[in-house]
Amino acid sequence: MTTSDPQWTPDEMMSVAASRALRDGAVCFVGIGLPSTAANLARHTHAPNLVLIYESGTLGSKPGVLPLSIGDGVLADTADAVISVPEVFNYWLQPGRIDVGFLGAAQIDRFANINTTVIGGDYRRPKVRLPGAGGAPEIAASCREVMVVVRQNPRTFVARVDFITSVGFGSGPGDRERLGLRGAGPRTVITDLGILQPDPRTCELTLTHVHPGIDIDTVRANTGWDLAVAPEVAVTEPPTPEELAVLRRLEATKGGNR
Amino acid sequence: MAQIVPLAAAVADLIHDGDTVALEGFTHLIPFAAGHEIIRQRRTDLTLVRMTPDVIFDQLIGMGCARKLVFSWGGNPGVGSLHRFRDAVEAGWPRPLELEEHSHAGMANRYVAGASGLPFAVLRGYVGTDLVAQTSTIKPITCPFTGEVLTAVPALRPDVTVIHAQRADRAGNVQLWGIVGVQKEAVLAAQRSLVTVEEVVDTLDPRPGAVVLPTWAVTAVAVVPGGAHPSYAQGYSVRDNDFYVAWDAISRDRETFLAWMRANVLEVGRDH
């Protein structure tokens, strides 16, 4: 499951595709890891006015390096404002001031519900205990829209998540409205194989793009349900030399102590 | 008025077996040295509280100090899993760990309610998630003005809150800056509080965005330079990222973990 093109890795294609999905000037609540990489790539390429908010309480962070954690000092040093954690959630997220919530996932299902809590077994004695919710449930509920970046394989892309940590479209159409969730929910799921978007009628994640060198059957084989495929599946534009250069420069800043 | 006392004396005096103890910090200013002292003094049956339990909680849990964990995200920040936390939940080693699991928004509001002297907080949260069925401290509540159904979470009122800050003055006023997380709320929510600091200074000159906790709102201050290591204290130290990465291997195996704790915590008189 590699691209036939040796000039970039599937992870690089994923980060580039995710960065392109963020529009310049948007206000983005950023999760650590893959979302943070993609958001910072966007800010250093096509979206210099992207506003990054991290749940540790940094508004408008402009790091020149990739943060080592959600509370890296570089996020505070380069922020427009550093605020308390209650303020982040109560004043900024809850009232709907954030355009895009950008999340990762340990499991995601056909209705884009996300699990970061437990896999297998019982909640009290799970097979795998994951870190838990963090800020994600309210990010998924209250941001105007949600983007997810996650590597695609049958263990991660499951028909039904073992535990709903953050609600996508619940059991299908109408659920978000019934639950009173104010944001529109997941709009785009970017993986190392392609891009999935919810069907406007069924709310089911549907393959709309494959990355260069990836065929639809490969994506199907890496999805734990009978994947819906758009009538016209586009091929993602490959990473530009500039995107790759910036991404690699950012990735190179992840080591070391600071 | 806060007493300025040695760390070991403060822990002995303020933290008792069975207490509910919050050690707060959001990857910055994590009170590692105080956590190590709790382990050295063999406190047990604690209910530990933290939004983001990280490596120091992995150590406390792995050493059997905790009966219960109240939390919203438990991981090795920037690295991955907490293996001792996982072992406690998945296999009950070294003892079963009861969980009271929330989201960050819920935990933050629980501290705000505690600091405000209110019995509960209200937020838009948790709706549609499976946390509602697992956590008894998440309940629906109807707004008496609009009829809207919202979510209520009870106040957190720790017996003790422990934090690390950059500095205090000789009167025991505490100042912290950079990412200040939920520390102010956690201290004000608690019955007692212990603040470890990098240094004591004559005057707390103003810092942009600093939080000041007046001496009369703090129980004890202990001077522990480097007391947040391997996390960082903005203006004083940088994150020892190599340690966080190394912890992944140290903590995977029970015996390796115990040997590391013996050599680096139990058999060391005090931190730094």
Side-chain angles (χ1 to χ4, degrees):
Chain A
M1 188 185 53
T2 55
T3 66
S4 56
D5 192 322
Q7 290 170 331
W8 67 83
T9 68
D11 272 8
E12 287 175 334
M13 183 69 251
M14 172 170 60
S15 292
V16 167
S19 77
R20 290 174 185 159
L22 291 165
R23 71 176 184 282
D24 195 23
V27 179
C28 181
F29 205 115
V30 191
I32 206 68
L34 294 171
S36 179
T37 301
N40 280 289
L41 175 60
R43 215 181 53 73
H44 283 89
T45 52
H46 70 93
N49 301 305
L50 184 67
V51 178
L52 305 187
I53 298 182
Y54 287 82
E55 66 194 11
S56 56
T58 64
L59 296 188
S61 291
K62 293 166 280 292
V65 297
L66 287 183
L68 296 174
S69 76
I70 204 98
D72 192 318
V74 73
L75 299 175
D77 286 339
T78 62
D80 297 325
V82 181
I83 58 177
S84 73
V85 167
E87 186 179 332
V88 174
F89 287 98
N90 287 350
Y91 294 179
W92 299 90
L93 177 63
Q94 188 166 258
R97 295 183 211 280
I98 315 290
D99 296 317
V100 185
F102 201 178
L103 299 173
Q107 281 186 332
I108 185 166
D109 67 22
R110 76 197 291 161
F111 293 113
N113 302 297
I114 291 174
N115 175 18
T116 56
T117 305
V118 288
I119 291 177
D122 176 67
Y123 170 78
R124 302 280 156 200
R125 186 56 74 94
K127 187 156 167 287
V128 178
R129 175 66 227 196
L130 300 166
E138 285 75 28
I139 293 171
S142 294
C143 289
R144 293 198 178 97
E145 61 185 50
V146 173
M147 285 175 40
V148 183
V149 57
V150 57
R151 295 184 188 97
Q152 190 159 0
N153 60 63
R155 281 172 290 109
T156 303
F157 280 67
V158 294
R160 184 77 181 161
V161 288
D162 293 356
F163 190 99
I164 297 181
T165 312
S166 304
V167 181
F169 295 99
S171 307
D175 262 19
R176 287 190 70 88
E177 293 75 11
R178 267 193 295 281
L179 294 167
L181 305 178
R182 296 181 152 200
R187 180 179 61 97
T188 312
V189 177
I190 298 116
T191 81
D192 49 350
L193 302 179
I195 299 174
L196 302 88
Q197 296 179 302
D199 181 283
R201 192 177 50 82
T202 65
C203 293
E204 195 174 316
L205 283 179
T206 302
L207 183 69
T208 59
H209 295 69
V210 288
H211 297 327
I214 305 292
D215 59 39
I216 292 172
D217 283 345
T218 299
V219 186
R220 280 205 173 101
N222 282 280
T223 306
W225 68 88
D226 186 11
L227 177 66
V229 176
E232 299 285 325
V233 174
V235 178
T236 317
E237 283 296 315
T240 67
E242 191 217 346
E243 286 169 328
L244 279 179
V246 174
L247 176 59
R248 287 170 185 170
R249 181 173 61 71
L250 286 170
E251 290 279 3
T253 65
K254 278 203 298 197
N257 300 321
R258 63 166 183 268
Chain B
M1 300 287 283
Q3 303 291 308
I4 300 181
V5 293
L7 176 60
V11 168
D13 191 36
L14 297 181
I15 300 174
H16 314 124
D17 288 353
D19 275 355
T20 296
V21 183
L23 299 97
E24 272 298 345
F26 218 97
T27 83
H28 175 218
L29 297 173
I30 309 306
F32 268 90
H36 288 164
E37 188 58 34
I38 292 170
I39 293 168
R40 272 193 292 274
Q41 295 193 19
R42 298 289 188 181
R43 288 292 173 279
T44 189
D45 289 334
L46 301 175
T47 293
L48 293 177
V49 185
R50 171 89 180 269
M51 289 183 63
T52 53
D54 62 3
V55 170
I56 188 60
F57 273 61
D58 215 28
Q59 296 174 356
L60 286 155
I61 291 165
M63 295 302 286
C65 300
R67 179 186 72 77
K68 178 178 175 182
L69 178 68
V70 183
F71 77 114
S72 42
W73 187 89
N76 181 343
V79 179
S81 291
L82 290 180
H83 299 294
R84 294 298 97 226
F85 162 63
R86 282 187 57 178
D87 202 13
V89 177
E90 295 167 9
W93 191 91
R95 58 187 293 186
L97 183 68
E98 184 186 341
L99 298 183
E100 181 178 332
E101 184 165 6
H102 280 266
S103 68
H104 280 350
M107 285 291 284
N109 277 288
R110 297 186 69 190
Y111 278 123
V112 169
S116 307
L118 290 170
F120 68 92
V122 175
L123 72 155
R124 286 201 181 88
Y126 300 100
V127 178
T129 75
D130 286 338
L131 283 168
V132 179
Q134 301 298 343
T135 304
S136 62
T137 47
I138 301 169
K139 299 281 186 198
I141 187 168
T142 303
C143 170
F145 304 104
T146 64
E148 185 180 359
V149 177
L150 300 159
T151 298
V153 287
L156 279 169
R157 294 192 166 284
D159 294 306
V160 193
T161 287
V162 181
I163 66 167
H164 186 76
Q166 277 96 341
R167 56 192 189 171
D169 66 15
R170 294 186 196 290
N173 297 294
V174 169
Q175 188 186 41
L176 58 153
W177 63 87
I179 290 170
V180 293
V182 74
Q183 284 96 307
K184 178 180 184 174
E185 290 79 5
V187 165
L188 295 181
Q191 312 296 314
R192 306 183 291 278
S193 56
L194 165 60
V195 184
T196 55
V197 295
E198 292 289 322
E199 62 173 340
V200 169
V201 296
D202 290 329
T203 308
L204 297 176
D205 46 288
R207 294 278 176 153
V211 165
V212 173
L213 295 166
T215 180
W216 50 270
V218 174
T219 313
V221 171
V223 184
V224 189
H229 178 269
S231 80
Y232 70 104
Q234 189 123 0
Y236 289 79
S237 61
V238 296
R239 169 175 154 118
D240 183 355
N241 198 56
D242 295 342
F243 180 85
Y244 283 90
V245 174
W247 184 253
D248 190 70
I250 294 166
S251 60
R252 264 175 203 275
D253 174 74
R254 292 172 183 171
E255 291 309 316
T256 311
F257 161 76
L258 288 172
W260 191 93
M261 292 301 295
R262 274 194 296 273
N264 294 279
V265 177
L266 295 180
E267 291 168 6
V268 180
R270 56 172 286 255
D271 277 47
H272 310 286

